[in-house]
Amino acid sequence: MLKVYNTLTGQKEKFETVEAGKVKMYVCGLTVQNYSHIGHIRSAINYDVIRRFLEYLGYEVDYISNFTDINEKIVKRAEEEGITPAELADKYANAFLEDIREFNIKPADKYLRVSENIDQIIEMVKTLIEKGYAYEVNGNVYFSVESFEDYGKLSGRSLDEMQAGARIAVNEEKENPLDFGLWKKVEAGEGWDSPWGEGWPGWHIECSAMSMKRLGATFDIHGGGVDLIFPHHENEIAQSEAYSGKKFVNYWLHNGTVNLSGEKMSKSQGNFFTSREVLKEFPAQTVRYFLLSRHYRSPIDFSYEKLEEAETSLQRIENARRQLAKVLNLDIESAEDNKENENFFTKVVELKDSFAAALNDDFNTAEAIGVLHDLVGEINSFLNQKDFTLNEKNFAVLEETEEIFLELAEILGLKFELNKAPGADDKLVSPLISLLLELRDRARDNKNWEEADLIRDRLQEIGVEVTDTPRGTEWEIKGKEE
RNA sequence: GGCGGCAUAGCCAAGUGGUAAGGCAGAGGACUGCAAAUCCUUUAUUCGGCGGUUCAAAUCCGUCUGCCGCCUCCA
């Protein structure tokens, strides 16, 4: 049974959907004003795994995200780059889509853009004014936080507490300093026409308008970074529920931040790694694996040193996968059976269940990765038994294990494709290498180590890795080192 | 100042009442002509300090210390 931690209640809750068998989820995307950084990628990977697991559980998932393509920052950045705001937004939205492909993140079913949903937003603002939740002053429209009884329920604050904090910029137009903008007046020619004059939507309103338009007044999951809880998501709840009179979202999920030396990575602080610069140093899968090695709600400290550790750890899993594939390629030697494979397979199935149980517990990917390593240990031990032979029963069991292994990895979005280097399947290359290795074997039989090593070393230089294993000499095209 | 979170081995990290997963590094071993690779075993009487509840606490309560987040744009 799936349990998820809901920020709204501060507890893990049993997960039940509005509509049986279907999950409607909305994840706050980014303002497309620059290249994405690792913090954005963590968020995207996190919700990607959540989505994949929900699909694994059999749900039909409608996963929606957004691109904020209208605001001051975009205008400013566009001026800097000498292009129009729309071009800038397009450029970075496309860059983001390229980035997530690298990280094996499934794209959302739909990315909603503010610029394409202005009508919807205006309609919503209009209704909020009519219902008495919002007011217009000089072409600006504000939401009145005092008019919404439950204001503060997500972030666990009360209006009194927040006013005591008194770190809110003074704005004479607002009835209450905490009131937030729904519609913002801008210079002629820069915005959209509205009943209140030319302007832009406020930041928070877009997510409400677009998510409800696509997913309905009440939907299942709304996700984003913890730094969005207040004010962004708090405000979304206020305006959405004031508008529809219904509960907006059942489960609020928030992922932790990516930190650098303990400090939050963020654009405004200037302390961030873009995903692109990280990808120059490490494979995307390593980054993904690293980010999933910690529970999504906790902050994670980012460094290249940690990525190197993650790389080594990930290789252990990759090796097991490769060994498994190699063994499955061997000829079946005997029909004999031993009891070992039954014990082995029982454990494999148990681990499969443990893996699902880990993710069922608020998507605990760190624990799930631990289970994956346990599975690797079982596979290794089984394959490295002294008297291992590939009999029919072993083959069947290993084939099924491979399937389970790949299925679980797929939930985490990890791909373990076999190295299909160019030439590996070539009708000429393969026999040629086999021939060379035959010569090497003969040299070894004659204890002519010099010649044997020459063949191995020369093959290595060409990019063919030769490994002596208890099952005989194996080779693999690795390609040349760059 | 207000609200919230976190503190587990050398490092990273799971674990929310039943006696400490997993990874990295380290140590030992297996395999090998050698090398590389790989594999196996092993590494916390203890969970920031103190006090309390309980038959039982890393897990609950109180308190102290340290770190972080939000309160302004932010994934």
Side-chain angles (χ1 to χ4, degrees):
Chain A
M1 182 185 76
L2 176 61
K3 281 182 151 180
V4 302
Y5 180 89
N6 188 352
T7 306
L8 195 58
T9 57
Q11 287 173 333
K12 278 185 199 169
E13 296 174 357
K14 187 176 171 207
F15 183 71
E16 285 171 291
T17 57
V18 174
E19 200 178 324
K22 290 189 179 173
V23 175
K24 295 171 185 184
M25 65 188 284
Y26 182 92
V27 176
C28 280
L30 63 169
T31 301
V32 278
Q33 50 159 330
N34 212 327
Y35 292 113
S36 66
H37 66 232
I38 294 300
H40 300 127
I41 293 301
R42 181 190 195 188
S43 181
I45 287 175
N46 170 227
Y47 295 105
D48 182 50
V49 171
I50 289 175
R51 180 232 203 119
R52 284 167 186 262
F53 185 59
L54 289 169
E55 285 171 350
Y56 171 80
L57 293 178
Y59 288 106
E60 188 185 312
V61 180
D62 195 12
Y63 180 108
I64 305 305
S65 190
N66 70 298
F67 289 131
T68 298
D69 60 354
I70 300 172
N71 69 21
E72 291 86 341
K73 285 182 179 175
I74 287 177
V75 170
K76 191 170 156 241
R77 290 276 298 123
E79 273 171 22
E80 284 168 18
E81 293 200 16
I83 52 181
T84 68
E87 284 167 348
L88 184 102
D90 263 357
K91 174 181 169 182
Y92 291 113
N94 287 332
F96 178 73
L97 294 174
E98 282 169 25
D99 290 347
I100 64 168
R101 196 180 320 132
E102 285 291 314
F103 286 104
N104 196 27
I105 296 164
K106 290 187 186 179
D109 292 305
K110 176 83 182 163
Y111 288 96
L112 298 160
R113 296 185 191 223
V114 185
S115 62
E116 293 167 358
N117 290 277
I118 299 290
D119 290 349
Q120 185 75 19
I121 291 168
I122 288 174
E123 192 277 322
M124 191 169 161
V125 175
K126 234 196 294 190
T127 304
L128 285 171
I129 294 174
E130 280 162 18
K131 286 190 163 186
Y133 289 106
Y135 55 95
E136 185 255 326
V137 186
N138 299 325
N140 292 307
V141 181
Y142 299 101
F143 185 92
S144 165
V145 292
E146 283 168 52
S147 69
F148 185 70
E149 207 184 333
D150 286 341
Y151 193 77
K153 69 177 173 181
L154 180 70
S155 53
R157 316 159 190 234
S158 70
L159 284 172
D160 293 344
E161 281 165 9
M162 284 186 273
Q163 273 154 12
R167 271 183 56 184
I168 303 139
V170 179
N171 178 336
E172 309 225 320
E173 287 184 354
K174 293 183 183 177
E175 291 172 4
N176 181 310
L178 289 161
D179 288 352
F180 56 92
L182 296 175
W183 187 262
K184 184 176 177 167
K185 183 182 175 180
V186 296
E187 304 270 316
E190 285 191 350
W192 279 259
D193 284 331
S194 80
W196 320 284
E198 193 168 336
W200 285 340
W203 174 42
H204 314 294
I205 191 79
E206 59 180 72
C207 287
S208 292
M210 299 192 298
S211 60
M212 287 196 287
K213 177 183 174 185
R214 167 88 181 206
L215 303 175
T218 302
F219 56 95
D220 303 300
I221 294 174
H222 192 126
V226 276
D227 45 6
L228 295 182
I229 294 173
F230 190 89
H232 186 53
H233 289 162
E234 192 69 68
N235 292 350
E236 275 190 54
I237 290 177
Q239 66 205 2
S240 302
E241 299 192 351
Y243 171 79
S244 71
K246 292 175 185 158
K247 190 178 183 191
F248 179 42
V249 170
N250 285 135
Y251 302 93
W252 285 91
L253 271 48
H254 292 98
N255 59 281
T257 53
V258 176
N259 295 167
L260 283 177
S261 311
E263 304 274 314
K264 189 179 100 175
M265 190 183 281
S266 76
K267 274 184 184 166
S268 53
Q269 299 279 52
N271 62 331
F272 60 88
F273 281 83
T274 64
S275 33
R276 300 196 163 199
E277 64 186 301
V278 172
L279 286 179
K280 283 182 193 154
E281 307 293 328
F282 288 92
Q285 175 142 288
T286 299
V287 181
R288 183 175 180 115
Y289 177 83
F290 167 70
L291 292 172
L292 290 175
S293 69
R294 174 129 193 179
H295 184 91
Y296 77 90
R297 280 193 282 120
S298 307
I300 187 167
D301 218 58
F302 180 89
S303 73
Y304 281 162
E305 207 183 345
K306 295 280 153 47
L307 280 182
E308 258 161 54
E309 281 180 15
E311 174 100 344
T312 313
S313 175
L314 179 59
Q315 268 164 13
R316 182 168 179 266
I317 300 176
E318 282 169 349
N319 283 329
R321 193 271 175 277
R322 222 179 305 132
Q323 267 217 72
L324 193 54
K326 277 183 187 166
V327 170
L328 283 170
N329 259 328
L330 298 175
D331 295 327
I332 293 174
E333 285 182 13
S334 70
E336 274 173 42
D337 195 13
N338 59 40
K339 289 277 179 250
E340 285 306 310
N341 47 38
E342 282 177 25
N343 297 333
F344 167 70
F345 196 64
T346 304
K347 281 182 195 148
V348 170
V349 171
E350 275 171 17
L351 289 171
K352 181 187 177 182
D353 292 342
S354 304
F355 185 93
L359 293 180
N360 264 322
D361 185 13
D362 195 30
F363 312 107
N364 194 334
T365 53
E367 193 180 334
I369 285 176
V371 175
L372 212 51
H373 274 281
D374 288 339
L375 179 60
V376 164
E378 291 299 334
I379 292 170
N380 287 336
S381 299
F382 186 64
L383 295 184
N384 288 296
Q385 292 170 90
K386 277 233 159 50
D387 53 351
F388 179 85
T389 52
L390 190 66
N391 59 44
E392 280 169 20
K393 184 76 188 297
N394 282 347
F395 183 83
V397 159
L398 286 171
E399 209 173 34
E400 219 168 321
T401 299
E402 182 185 44
E403 208 170 289
I404 290 171
F405 178 94
L406 293 175
E407 185 182 29
L408 301 185
E410 175 71 19
I411 296 172
L412 297 178
L414 301 175
K415 288 189 291 194
F416 295 106
E417 284 165 357
L418 295 170
N419 200 355
K420 284 267 169 76
D425 292 334
D426 194 289
K427 282 189 185 130
L428 196 55
V429 170
S430 183
L432 276 175
I433 293 175
S434 296
L435 173 62
L436 286 166
L437 291 179
E438 220 176 294
L439 292 174
R440 173 169 175 266
D441 273 344
R442 189 178 295 182
R444 292 175 77 204
D445 286 345
N446 295 330
K447 297 201 191 307
N448 185 349
W449 311 128
E450 204 180 325
E451 187 165 327
D453 290 351
L454 177 75
I455 293 172
R456 183 178 65 197
D457 294 346
R458 295 287 290 128
L459 280 171
Q460 176 85 35
E461 279 171 36
I462 295 166
V464 179
E465 190 173 271
V466 175
T467 324
D468 298 319
T469 78
R471 297 178 297 274
T473 302
E474 293 173 355
W475 61 274
E476 192 171 356
I477 296 185
K478 285 273 182 158
K480 290 183 192 178
E481 292 287 319
E482 293 191 20

